[in-house]
Amino acid sequence: MSITIQNLNKQFGNFTALNNINLEVNSGELLALLGPSGCGKTSLLRIIGGLDVQNSGKILFHGKDVEQRDARERNVGFVFQHYALFRHMTVFENVAFGLRVKPKKERHTETEIKRRVHELLQLVQLDWLADRYPAQLSGGQRQRIALARALAVEPQILLLDEPFGALDTKVRKELRRWLRRLHDELHITSVFVTHDQEEALEVADRIVVMNKGNIEQVGSPDDVYASPASPFVYQFIGNVNLFHSRTHALWTQQQGDAVAYVRPHDIDISLIPQHSSLPVVVKQVRAIGSVVRLEAVIGHDGEVVEIELSRERFNLTPVAVGDEIFIRPRQIKLFEE
Amino acid sequence: MASFKAHSVLPGFNLALGFTLLYLSLLVLIPLSSLFFKTATLGWDGFWEVATGDRVLASLRVTFVASFAAAVLNAIFGLVVAWVLVRYTFPGKRLVDALVDLPFALPTAVAGITLAMLYAPNGWIGHYFAEHDIKIAYTPLGIVVALTFIGLPFVVRTVQPVLADVEAEIEEAAASLGANRWDVFRRVIFPSIYPALLTGFALAFARSIGEYGSVIFIAGNMPFISEIAPLLIVAKLEQYDYAGATAIALVMLLISFALLLAINGLQWWSNRREIR
């Protein structure tokens, strides 16, 4: 089921959480809303789910306006950052909740409910925890149960609000791969909110980058990373070095004030000056896993440049703290100042 | 002894435990055991005669039935008050919040006299009921009114913080799963606040059983109809029948203890199902 968002606005008092948002979520895709906290991504998700109400604008599910339908009539599965499991119910009862509160004539028989719940618990690979209480589970397990609970009512749309935000790094990585696989199996239209760019890049089909209530860019993970549409996106996704055109005119033909954005791994180093290279002094060398990160200072004004090299590349040109080297960007993006 | 002692960053387990035992002994255990000793002077037959006297049994029934009814009323309406105070903001909310504690502070006799005046057949509120031939003051109904007044803060104050702790997300999760409002309350919110509600109920109930000051003014104190057990105890004391007074007190104590124990058991049982 596709979601269409038209001219959506949301204010909290004087604060504009969403500023005229227009967005199309395609049927069956996994879309990430990415942005820093306070950018409006969670507000947008809650409005789609019917947990909040917009000040103006429309939300359409499959072309139909859903304004008149509240959360329980939207048939949307919602997964919360802090799980929001019912702690006085067993895992089984948590998952069965959505089936038990169906109107009498739509309600399944007890054996059918049992079958469905166990099927879902198998899907999230936690069938063996059916009789436990949420407090007895780990964070990762709780979130998987929360997902099973949301899926029990066979929602047309799945909304996830920072689903892995409260988990530690290792579980988080496991779980997002697992979510991706699950989505590939179920093909349910899903929107998930995150402030973690790595998570969005790894899991989503498309990424919506938001900032201060506005959409900065919509695109595939590759698009967003390789060709950011705005300085904000450039800085938010991945590390970046800024060079002011006036001081580094040799890299740009542009006249006037502009800022050049260069990713640390798009910088080449050499020990001898080359065409349009810039002399810097190495201040720090750190080997982090498979990459080596250099911090260097541009001689005349003390500006710091971050450079990232693969270990092999570094081994070809080993440099040490205090060395003078010459840098040149492989790729550069200019934004007017 | 050492095996009970869990490691703690704050020292003083022995001192604190010793103090607690001494304090409870002086204030609770010794006075209550003297109740036993005084009653024992009656002998078993004498005790049985006092305890099973018709008037005593009737007064005990009035006390416990009225207290139970008042506690049930408080549990229901106290929950509503707590709900309103937690969930909504309205002008004068702080004032209403403060009003809830008033029954704690007011001398109970004042409450009794005021209620008796209001609910008397010619009183402000009472005359509306009198038109329908319902008498409130000077009947068991009046006792329930007084006890409801006395017990109100207990339920509100125990339920309020727990209700405030129920995360909005839990309700949102239930709603997004298709639960209607009644289901959200019945299946999600109520089970979370139920232990606190039970505690409030038990406190209000216990408080009502021992209440004397407010009840005697509104009850009419007719033997067999609206005479409460504490009044009978006072009457015995005034006749210098100390052993008889302690005998009734002992019966009340045992029944109260058994009831509170049962409520505690119920709480333990419901807590056990929910491991936090």
Side-chain angles (χ1 to χ4, degrees), chain B residues 58-70:
Chain B
S59 73
L60 285 171
R61 204 185 62 230
V62 170
T63 298
F64 283 96
V65 169
S67 296
F68 185 80

Side-chain angles (χ1 to χ4, degrees), chain A residues 2-8 18 43-50 52 54 56-68 74 157:
Chain A
S2 66
I3 308 170
T4 311
I5 295 154
Q6 293 174 344
N7 307 320
L8 201 71
L18 295 171
S43 296
L44 180 56
L45 195 78
R46 290 173 57 86
I47 292 171
I48 297 173
D52 253 333
Q54 66 269 36
S56 65
K58 272 184 182 175
I59 306 249
L60 312 171
F61 286 181
H62 204 72
K64 277 195 201 110
D65 194 343
V66 292
E67 203 191 338
Q68 296 305 316
R74 286 198 189 181
I157 290 165

Side-chain angles (χ1 to χ4, degrees), chain A residues 46 51 70-72 76 78 80-82 84-89 97-98 100-101 133 135-136 149-150 153, chain B residues 165 167 169-170 172-181 183-184 187-189 191-192 272-276:
Chain A
R46 290 173 57 86
L51 300 177
D70 64 18
R72 77 188 181 92
V76 160
F78 210 105
F80 296 84
Q81 180 177 4
H82 298 290
L85 291 173
F86 308 129
R87 55 185 178 189
H88 59 279
M89 294 182 198
F97 185 87
R100 293 208 194 282
V101 297
Y133 285 88
Q136 295 166 289
R149 181 180 69 175
V153 289
Chain B
D165 260 0
E167 302 154 72
E169 276 190 358
I170 303 270
E172 289 172 352
S176 76
L177 289 167
N180 59 35
R181 281 162 197 169
D183 274 327
V184 173
R187 292 172 183 266
V188 177
I189 298 172
S192 322
R272 205 182 43 145
R273 295 191 311 152
E274 173 193 354
I275 303 150
R276 281 163 199 266

Side-chain angles (χ1 to χ4, degrees), chain A residues 215-235:
Chain A
I215 292 180
E216 294 273 340
Q217 186 173 9
V218 182
S220 69
D222 214 34
D223 268 356
V224 173
Y225 189 80
S227 42
S230 68
F232 173 81
V233 179
Y234 223 122
Q235 281 182 301

Side-chain angles (χ1 to χ4, degrees), chain A residues 268-274 277 313 317 324-328:
Chain A
D268 230 358
I269 63 167
S270 68
L271 297 174
I272 44 165
Q274 286 177 319
S277 66
R313 180 68 191 78
T317 337
E324 193 186 37
I325 56 171
F326 298 88
I327 59 169
R328 207 173 51 165

Side-chain angles (χ1 to χ4, degrees), chain B:
Chain B
M1 208 52 157
S3 60
F4 290 121
K5 203 170 155 178
H7 177 77
S8 159
V9 286
L10 291 177
F13 170 79
N14 290 329
L15 189 66
L17 184 73
F19 175 76
T20 305
L21 289 178
L22 177 73
Y23 188 79
L24 283 179
S25 302
L26 282 175
L27 278 167
V28 182
L29 219 56
I30 294 174
L32 287 187
S33 56
S34 73
L35 206 63
F36 278 89
F37 292 126
K38 188 73 198 172
T39 311
T41 59
L42 277 177
W44 180 252
D45 292 333
F47 169 71
W48 193 249
E49 203 187 306
V50 175
T52 58
D54 287 345
R55 197 166 158 191
V56 171
L57 286 180
S59 73
L60 285 171
R61 204 185 62 230
V62 170
T63 298
F64 283 96
V65 169
S67 296
F68 185 80
V72 169
L73 282 176
N74 271 327
I76 298 167
F77 296 106
L79 176 60
V80 175
V81 172
W83 183 271
V84 169
L85 288 177
V86 169
R87 289 306 167 101
Y88 306 115
T89 32
F90 51 89
K93 176 171 163 170
R94 279 168 173 277
L95 197 71
V96 175
D97 202 36
L99 224 57
V100 170
D101 284 330
L102 221 52
F104 273 149
L106 206 64
T108 52
V110 175
I113 293 167
T114 313
L115 288 172
M117 249 168 59
L118 285 174
Y119 285 92
N122 55 358
W124 269 12
I125 301 173
H127 80 267
Y128 291 111
F129 287 94
E131 284 169 16
H132 301 283
D133 281 334
I134 300 171
K135 265 185 80 177
I136 295 179
Y138 317 123
T139 67
L141 219 54
I143 302 177
V144 176
V145 170
L147 295 180
T148 308
F149 175 84
I150 294 299
L152 173 75
F154 291 98
V155 174
V156 178
R157 289 291 178 245
T158 47
V159 172
Q160 210 176 0
V162 179
L163 197 58
D165 260 0
V166 176
E167 302 154 72
E169 276 190 358
I170 303 270
E171 289 162 45
E172 289 172 352
S176 76
L177 289 167
N180 59 35
R181 281 162 197 169
W182 170 237
D183 274 327
V184 173
F185 179 78
R186 187 172 62 111
R187 292 172 183 266
V188 177
I189 298 172
F190 187 74
S192 322
I193 58 171
Y194 161 74
L197 191 65
L198 204 61
T199 304
F201 171 83
L203 288 173
F205 184 48
R207 176 73 182 80
S208 297
I209 290 169
E211 177 57 17
Y212 173 76
S214 62
V215 175
I216 52 164
F217 289 103
I218 199 174
N221 305 325
M222 281 188 299
F224 298 103
I225 297 170
S226 59
E227 187 178 53
I228 56 168
L231 181 68
L232 215 54
I233 295 173
V234 173
K236 294 247 186 227
L237 287 177
E238 278 170 353
Q239 293 155 18
Y240 302 106
D241 181 6
Y242 293 129
T246 55
I248 305 174
L250 189 62
V251 174
M252 283 187 73
L253 185 71
L254 292 176
I255 300 176
S256 304
F257 189 68
L259 285 171
L260 291 177
L261 206 64
I263 292 171
N264 265 322
L266 199 63
Q267 235 159 9
W268 174 80
W269 176 75
S270 67
N271 272 338
R272 205 182 43 145
R273 295 191 311 152
E274 173 193 354
I275 303 150
R276 281 163 199 266

